[in-house]
Amino acid sequence: MKFLTTNFLKCSVSACDNSNDNFPLSFDGSKCELIQDTTIEFNPEFIMNVIDRVDWDAIVLVAQELGNNSLPAAKPVLGSVEGLTEDDMAVLRDLHLLFIQTSIKEGEMKCRNCGHIYYIKNGIPNLLLPPHLA
Amino acid sequence: MLPTPLVKCDYDKIYEPSEDSFLLLDALEKEQGYLVEKFNGLVLVCEFGPGSGIVTTFMIQNRIPVGLNSVYLAVDVSPWAVEATLETAKLNNCDKGTVLDTVQGNLGTGLRKNQVDVLLFNPPYVPAEEVPEVPESKDDYKWLDLALDGGEDGMVVTQKVLDNLDSILSKNGVAYILFCARNHPEQVAEEMRLKGWKIDLVEHRKAGWEVLSVYRFSRN
Ligand SMILES: [Zn+2]
């Protein structure tokens, strides 16, 4: 599961929909095995669109849980694709590495509201609930 | 005609791509222009119940809707289907270089609200006594039933998605959902129109004794 996908998942328990703590799921970095997939080419425009789209606070939080403390607290503000500076490109390359190249192969993630734990196995997160919670 | 993905799966466990799957592909091919027009920026394409993965792979293969700016998420309740989807993507060289993830889950229940830009859904639409329960073990032979049986009028699972469509789709989001005639799609569409949705028939076709259709749901 790509790091970016952590920005699109929440707890499946419907009662948690009334809470603000069902997203992002909390990752236990010590239990997560990360891998790098270098087959996806760096595309500055794509990463800019991703930045535009994501919930940045959740990105920062999950990155920290997985051991990356380098992200700024505020979403980076970049101009147009044509006007990117060397510094901007360095930021985008870093984020490409994190969002797209970094995957969680094995691990677990927990709802901050109800505490339910979801497992990631062989790169596939399982968000199904046991019958008594579904 | 756009190329159709190659699929090799164990059809005791995975729904074999059939007329319905191909109708959905045709509908999406037809919608390419509409989708390109509709979106700019990142597009999150999400398929519920990908089964073999043929539809998601088709989208990746043909770079629908907007080539390098799309990310793909395929959600299936079946552990066999989430694996098959990745295998089908791989078989068609669509795994490398693409932002694709598969998730084992129940429809949109594990997805953050209002994120899906393009929802694709070929549901279990066959009228049946009930929607089968999710098997507890991966080795259960009943996983395939979940891909077919849709309960009363074959609408139980589809209705769940329609009832939650407003919280699944992004502001600009659009859903493509397949129906058979026994689902009474025109009646379903009318109910959704009353709730403020815009519904368009994209494709329909007679397939054997079945009439299949694909409808597009968007906000007015
Ligand atoms: Zn929860």
Side-chain angles (χ1 to χ4, degrees):
Chain A
M1 170 174 99
K2 294 183 172 48
F3 179 89
L4 176 62
T5 301
T6 68
N7 213 261
F8 297 123
L9 302 182
K10 69 165 179 71
C11 179
S12 298
V13 175
S14 61
C16 292
D17 286 342
N18 302 316
S19 146
N20 287 324
D21 295 326
N22 66 347
F23 167 83
L25 294 168
S26 164
F27 290 76
D28 182 342
S30 68
K31 288 181 181 159
C32 288
E33 181 194 343
L34 304 181
I35 51 165
Q36 299 290 329
D37 170 3
T38 52
T39 64
I40 301 175
E41 248 172 85
F42 171 56
N43 171 355
E45 197 180 345
F46 175 68
I47 300 300
M48 287 171 81
N49 286 329
V50 172
I51 296 172
D52 233 21
R53 176 63 180 268
V54 292
D55 180 313
W56 187 258
D57 291 345
I59 292 283
V60 174
L61 188 58
V62 174
Q64 278 171 356
E65 288 170 349
L66 294 175
N68 178 339
N69 294 304
S70 70
L71 297 183
K75 208 181 248 208
V77 180
L78 304 161
S80 63
V81 190
E82 296 77 28
L84 290 173
T85 64
E86 276 303 309
D87 285 352
D88 293 339
M89 286 299 264
V91 167
L92 291 172
R93 269 181 212 285
D94 276 354
L95 290 177
H96 169 76
L97 180 72
L98 176 66
F99 290 163
I100 309 301
Q101 284 199 6
T102 304
S103 286
I104 305 163
K105 185 160 186 272
E106 305 288 331
E108 54 185 67
M109 43 195 189
K110 185 166 121 184
C111 174
R112 289 166 214 272
N113 187 52
C114 71
H116 188 75
I117 293 176
Y118 300 93
Y119 293 91
I120 302 159
K121 286 186 185 148
N122 204 14
I124 302 175
N126 185 346
L127 288 159
L128 283 181
L129 295 168
H132 69 279
L133 285 175
Chain B
M1 271 258 304
L2 296 175
T4 304
L6 195 65
V7 179
K8 277 185 205 162
C9 295
D10 177 350
Y11 299 125
D12 289 334
K13 300 184 175 98
I14 304 286
Y15 181 65
E16 182 172 3
S18 309
E19 286 297 332
D20 49 358
S21 326
F22 299 123
L23 187 74
L24 188 50
L25 299 190
D26 289 346
L28 292 165
E29 175 164 356
K30 214 168 164 178
E31 287 289 283
Q32 254 181 315
Y34 169 88
L35 291 170
V36 168
E37 191 93 336
K38 191 171 180 75
F39 296 104
N40 51 52
L42 191 77
V43 183
L44 175 62
V45 178
C46 180
E47 182 176 12
F48 289 171
S52 64
I54 185 172
V55 177
T56 289
T57 302
F58 176 82
M59 297 293 274
I60 297 171
Q61 191 174 49
N62 296 298
R63 299 186 172 278
I64 307 174
V66 267
L68 296 169
N69 267 327
S70 304
V71 298
Y72 301 89
L73 204 57
V75 183
D76 205 300
V77 73
S78 158
W80 300 105
V82 288
E83 286 173 12
T85 297
L86 290 177
E87 280 156 23
T88 298
K90 201 171 177 176
L91 187 65
N92 293 276
N93 295 316
C94 289
D95 58 328
K96 302 283 181 209
T98 306
V99 184
L100 162 70
D101 265 328
T102 62
V103 174
Q104 197 182 353
N106 184 2
L107 307 172
T109 53
L111 299 184
R112 177 155 74 101
K113 257 186 155 190
N114 300 122
Q115 294 303 308
V116 177
D117 297 304
V118 180
L119 177 68
L120 311 171
F121 191 29
N122 181 3
Y125 58 76
V126 179
E129 211 133 285
E130 55 182 11
V131 176
E133 279 186 28
V134 177
E136 279 184 31
S137 127
K138 190 178 173 183
D139 295 321
D140 202 296
Y141 62 92
K142 287 198 178 111
W143 286 106
L144 186 58
D145 296 344
L146 278 166
L148 300 168
D149 295 351
E152 193 181 348
D153 288 337
M155 272 302 291
V156 172
V157 183
T158 306
Q159 195 60 51
K160 272 188 201 163
V161 170
L162 294 176
D163 289 345
N164 290 302
L165 205 53
D166 194 41
S167 60
I168 294 168
L169 293 185
S170 66
K171 216 171 92 191
N172 202 21
V174 45
Y176 294 93
I177 303 179
L178 187 131
F179 295 85
C180 77
R182 290 176 292 163
N183 302 145
H184 309 297
E186 269 311 321
Q187 199 178 313
V188 173
E190 204 41 50
E191 280 164 26
M192 289 298 278
R193 280 184 193 112
L194 289 174
K195 289 180 187 162
W197 292 87
K198 184 177 186 305
I199 291 102
D200 298 284
L201 176 63
V202 181
E203 273 284 15
H204 68 111
R205 184 178 300 157
K206 211 163 171 281
W209 43 272
E210 195 107 79
V211 179
L212 302 170
S213 50
V214 175
Y215 284 79
R216 178 179 71 206
F217 296 75
S218 58
R219 292 195 177 83
N220 268 314

